[in-house]
Amino acid sequence: GWRDELQLFVSMALWGNKMDLSLWPVDLNAGSSNIKEAFAKIMAQGTEKLLADNSEELLDFICSKETLARVDVVVDNAGFELFTDLCLAHTLLAAGAARKIVFQLKAHPTFVSDAREADMLWMIKTLSGLNKDQYPACQAIGEVWQGLVASGRWELREDFFWCQPNPFWEMPDSLRNDLSENSSLVFVKGDANYRRLLGDRHWPLDTPFSDVCNYFPTKVCALRTLKGEVGCGLPAARVAALRAAEAVVRAEG
């Protein structure tokens, strides 16, 4: 059913964050087979590498509700990660889980791969313009996505707040009020955005995510590939195991 598809595309959107320039394998050339192998390897890691996984709660929320009026995606990187975000957004609409998706994009790139409205529109235009005989699936999905943008079911918004260092609890009132009044769920993508959710503070790792982020104006789901030590929401047993492993690394190298 749709729950399985949603689980898959949430996982893709999570691990797609490894495809930014900071974690892209340096030994890969541009060959499509190598890129496929890299992504397959990342996806195969699946739950094995998850430190904190609340996906069942997320899916329970999405699947047990009537169609959500609006879901937002706070986008992180352009390129392949953005493609996985669009796939997740597409699946949310196709499953009848949401009526509208708002993409919260950056008004300027703080980092070279940061996604702006122009990046998303370029990706959709490029896909829709592909040769139908060579790339039928990609070309078809590009046309579908063009239609979603044209119809308003996908809305693209840029804001300078998304590329600032401020913690998310310093969100401007206009943005906070819009999310509070109109959005049923917000996906927050990437490590930098996750750290802003936590105020870039070193909370005890077993502090519940809900305790740290209860200030957020609506339901929030963070999809983050760890690229720094700030975190929360880890089970106590996992924290103990990580500390034991860290001690071994420090002792033995």
Side-chain angles (χ1 to χ4, degrees):
W2 281 111
R3 187 183 179 101
D4 292 337
E5 276 76 11
L6 286 166
Q7 174 74 71
L8 171 64
F9 285 103
V10 167
S11 182
M12 281 183 62
L14 165 64
W15 291 116
N17 186 236
K18 287 197 71 170
M19 295 298 185
D20 78 349
L21 298 180
S22 71
L23 292 180
W24 184 254
V26 295
D27 57 345
L28 286 184
N29 58 35
S32 60
S33 61
N34 285 341
I35 293 173
K36 289 178 182 177
E37 289 170 9
F39 184 64
K41 182 178 180 181
I42 289 169
M43 288 297 294
Q45 292 173 344
T47 56
E48 174 191 348
K49 297 292 185 180
L50 289 179
L51 298 180
D53 180 11
N54 300 108
S55 58
E56 289 301 317
E57 294 175 40
L58 170 68
L59 294 171
D60 286 345
F61 172 75
I62 293 174
C63 297
S64 65
K65 300 286 184 181
E66 295 182 3
T67 301
L68 303 176
R70 175 179 136 189
V71 173
D72 288 59
V73 182
V74 179
V75 178
D76 191 15
N77 296 293
F80 186 82
E81 181 181 355
L82 178 59
F83 180 79
T84 64
D85 296 340
L86 302 191
C87 289
L88 173 58
H90 176 101
T91 306
L92 287 166
L93 294 185
R99 286 196 290 271
K100 177 176 181 175
I101 308 292
V102 173
F103 295 90
Q104 302 285 355
L105 296 141
K106 299 175 183 181
H108 70 76
T110 301
F111 299 100
V112 66
S113 58
D114 283 347
R116 300 175 59 227
E117 180 177 342
D119 297 306
M120 182 169 165
L121 292 175
W122 177 87
M123 175 174 285
I124 294 172
K125 181 180 179 181
T126 299
L127 288 168
S128 64
L130 291 172
N131 185 296
K132 290 184 179 181
D133 295 326
Q134 288 183 291
Y135 308 101
C138 290
Q139 193 278 332
I141 202 66
E143 285 194 350
V144 171
W145 291 351
Q146 277 190 326
L148 290 173
V149 173
S151 69
R153 295 192 73 196
W154 277 9
E155 183 177 342
L156 286 62
R157 299 183 184 179
E158 286 187 345
D159 198 293
F160 283 101
F161 178 72
W162 303 123
C163 41
Q164 302 302 316
N166 311 60
F168 277 1
W169 56 70
E170 294 182 3
M171 188 180 295
D173 289 342
S174 58
L175 190 54
R176 174 185 296 277
N177 292 339
D178 175 56
L179 293 177
S180 175
E181 295 170 8
N182 301 308
S183 183
S184 304
L185 173 66
V186 177
F187 287 97
V188 173
K189 291 296 307 293
D191 186 74
N193 284 329
Y194 178 89
R195 289 167 60 181
R196 293 180 68 193
L197 270 174
L198 273 59
D200 215 11
R201 286 160 165 76
H202 285 270
W203 302 88
L205 292 175
D206 57 357
T207 306
F209 179 82
S210 57
D211 287 358
V212 177
C213 298
N214 59 10
Y215 66 87
F216 204 81
T218 188
K219 297 283 187 182
V220 59
C221 171
L223 299 177
R224 177 242 193 160
T225 300
L226 188 147
K227 301 166 190 174
E229 296 182 0
V230 172
C232 69
L234 277 66
R238 177 58 72 103
V239 174
L242 289 171
R243 286 177 175 156
E246 182 182 36
V248 171
V249 170
R250 286 180 175 174
E252 301 179 5

